[in-house]
Amino acid sequence: MFIHDDEASTVQTSSSPPAERSDSAAPPERKLQRHRVRRGGSTGEKLLFLALVLPNLALLGMFVYRPLIDNIRLSFFDWNISSPTSTFIGWSNYIEWWNRGDSWVVVQNTVIFTLAAVVGSMVLGLALALLLDQQLVGRGIVRSAVFAPFVIAGAAIGVAFQFIFDPRFGMISALLTMVDLPVPNFYQDPDWALFMVTVTYIWKNLGYSFVIYLAALQAKPAELYEAAEMDGAGQWATFRSVTLPLLRPTTFFLSITVMLNSLQVFDIIYVMTRGGPQGNGTTTMVFQVYQETFQNFRAGYGATIATIMFLVLLVITAIQVRVMDRKTI
C-alpha cells in the first residue's frame, strides 16, 4: 500500500502535538505574539490597563489614604475644631491617652463588644446557615427574615430595641416576670447596658454572616460528603472533618470583615445609651472619637484615638493573614 507525500505529511502532523513544536519551527507571527505575551502585552493593552487602574487609584488616594495621613498628622496637634489655627504638641496627645484612666475603660468596652459581636454573629450565622441549607418548607421566607435586619438602619433598630429592653414594659421584662426572674435595669447598670447594645448589634449583623456562610455551604463539593458517608462517618465527624475545613477561607474572611464592622459601630450606641450609663458604660473607641472631636471640640485628641485604632487593626489583620497563609500552606 502506497501513501502519497501529502498524506504522509498529514499523518506526521496529526501524530505530533502542537505543544511539542520548538520556537524556531513556529511561524513568525506566532513568535511575535509569544514575545508580546512574555513582555506583558502590547502597548495598547498597557494603556488600557493604566486607563482602568489610574482613576481608581486616584479616588483611593484622595478619599482613603489622604484622610488617613491627615488624621495621623492631626494627632500631633492641639486643635479646637472651631478654631482656624492649631498648635504642634508632639506626642502629648498619645501620652495623655496612655495616662488617662477612662482610656482603659473604653478599651475594655471595645474589646468585649467586638469579641462578643464577632463570635456571636459568626456562630449564630453558621448555625442558621446549616439549618436553612436543608430542604425545609418555607426556608426562602425564613432566609429573607434573617437577612432583613442587616439592611435596616442601625438607628431604627436601636429605637425598636429600646422598647424591647425597657425594664418597665418591654418584652424582656415581661418574659422574665413570667418565670419569676429579676428584671435587670438595662439603662442604669453599665454591664447590662453593654450587654443590651451587644445583643442588638448581633441581631442586626446576623444576616451578613448567615448569607456568606450559606453561599459557601451551597458551593461545597458533594463528592467529599459521599466519601464520608461511605466511610461511615457520623454527622458530627463529617461536620468537624469536612465542613469546617471547607469553610476555613469563609471563616477567615468573616472574622476580618465582622471585626472591622463591629469596631465602627456608632449609631446603635448613640441611639440607645449615648455612651452611658455612668460616664463610659457603653463607650467604645470609635464613639470616644466622636465625643472628643464634636462634643469636647478636641479634634487632635480624637485623631490620636483614631490613629491608635488604625494601628491596632493593622497589626491584628496582619496577624490574621499570616496565620491563614500558614494554614493554607
Side-chain angles (χ1 to χ4, degrees):
M1 179 178 181
F2 295 95
I3 300 177
H4 296 286
D5 292 340
D6 53 351
E7 293 176 351
S9 62
T10 303
V11 171
Q12 184 177 3
T13 303
S14 61
S15 62
S16 60
E20 294 179 356
R21 285 185 173 180
S22 61
D23 288 344
S24 59
E29 293 79 8
R30 185 171 298 177
K31 291 173 64 177
L32 180 59
Q33 186 178 3
R34 289 179 182 177
H35 178 70
R36 287 174 176 173
V37 171
R38 290 170 183 169
R39 293 287 301 272
S42 62
T43 303
E45 291 174 341
K46 291 179 180 178
L47 292 176
L48 178 61
F49 171 76
L50 293 176
L52 294 175
V53 169
L54 286 180
N56 293 285
L57 288 179
L59 292 174
L60 196 65
M62 183 180 301
F63 294 107
V64 176
Y65 292 109
R66 184 177 180 277
L68 175 63
I69 295 172
D70 279 346
N71 182 81
I72 296 174
R73 180 187 60 81
L74 189 60
S75 67
F76 295 98
F77 285 81
D78 180 17
W79 179 40
N80 186 325
I81 196 171
S82 61
S83 172
T85 60
S86 58
T87 305
F88 180 77
I89 57 174
W91 295 94
S92 297
N93 283 331
Y94 291 91
I95 296 173
E96 179 185 350
W97 180 85
W98 183 266
N99 292 327
R100 278 177 55 169
D102 61 344
S103 299
W104 300 107
V105 175
V106 173
V107 170
Q108 180 182 349
N109 292 341
T110 305
V111 172
I112 294 174
F113 178 83
T114 304
L115 286 178
V118 171
V119 175
S121 299
M122 293 178 62
V123 171
L124 293 177
L126 176 59
L128 284 172
L130 289 171
L131 175 64
L132 296 177
D133 191 38
Q134 310 299 320
Q135 295 294 333
L136 301 176
V137 177
R139 66 174 183 175
I141 299 175
V142 179
R143 286 175 179 177
S144 302
V146 172
F147 182 72
F150 180 67
V151 298
I152 300 176
I157 291 178
V159 172
F161 271 76
Q162 275 185 318
F163 294 100
I164 293 176
F165 282 100
D166 190 287
R168 293 169 298 176
F169 51 82
M171 185 182 71
I172 302 296
S173 174
L175 293 175
L176 293 176
T177 304
M178 289 174 60
V179 294
D180 294 330
L181 290 177
V183 180
N185 194 332
F186 294 102
Y187 294 101
Q188 297 299 324
D189 189 321
D191 294 334
W192 282 111
L194 187 60
F195 170 81
M196 177 180 63
V197 296
T198 304
V199 170
T200 304
Y201 178 72
I202 290 176
W203 186 83
K204 179 187 184 306
N205 198 56
L206 181 61
Y208 174 74
S209 302
F210 160 71
V211 166
I212 301 296
Y213 269 131
L214 183 62
L217 288 174
Q218 291 180 343
K220 63 182 184 297
E223 295 82 6
L224 295 178
Y225 290 89
E226 292 174 358
E229 185 178 0
M230 293 176 64
D231 291 340
Q235 292 185 350
W236 170 247
T238 303
F239 174 75
R240 185 186 58 192
S241 303
V242 179
T243 305
L244 283 183
L246 288 175
L247 294 177
R248 185 178 297 160
T250 305
T251 302
F252 170 71
F253 170 78
L254 281 175
S255 65
I256 292 181
T257 55
V258 174
M259 182 187 67
L260 294 178
N261 292 332
S262 302
L263 285 170
Q264 299 177 45
V265 173
F266 173 81
D267 44 9
I268 290 178
I269 296 175
Y270 181 82
V271 169
M272 298 188 76
T273 62
R274 284 179 168 74
Q278 301 180 16
N280 298 312
T282 57
T283 301
T284 59
M285 293 184 73
V286 71
F287 196 84
Q288 192 182 25
V289 172
Y290 161 77
Q291 287 178 323
E292 295 293 342
T293 304
F294 297 104
Q295 292 183 346
N296 300 332
F297 302 106
R298 299 187 63 196
Y301 190 73
T304 302
I305 301 172
T307 302
I308 292 171
M309 279 187 61
F310 166 72
L311 294 176
V312 171
L313 286 177
L314 186 65
V315 171
I316 293 176
T317 305
I319 293 174
Q320 286 178 316
V321 172
R322 184 68 175 173
V323 171
M324 187 63 190
D325 288 343
R326 286 185 177 180
K327 289 184 177 179
T328 303
I329 293 173

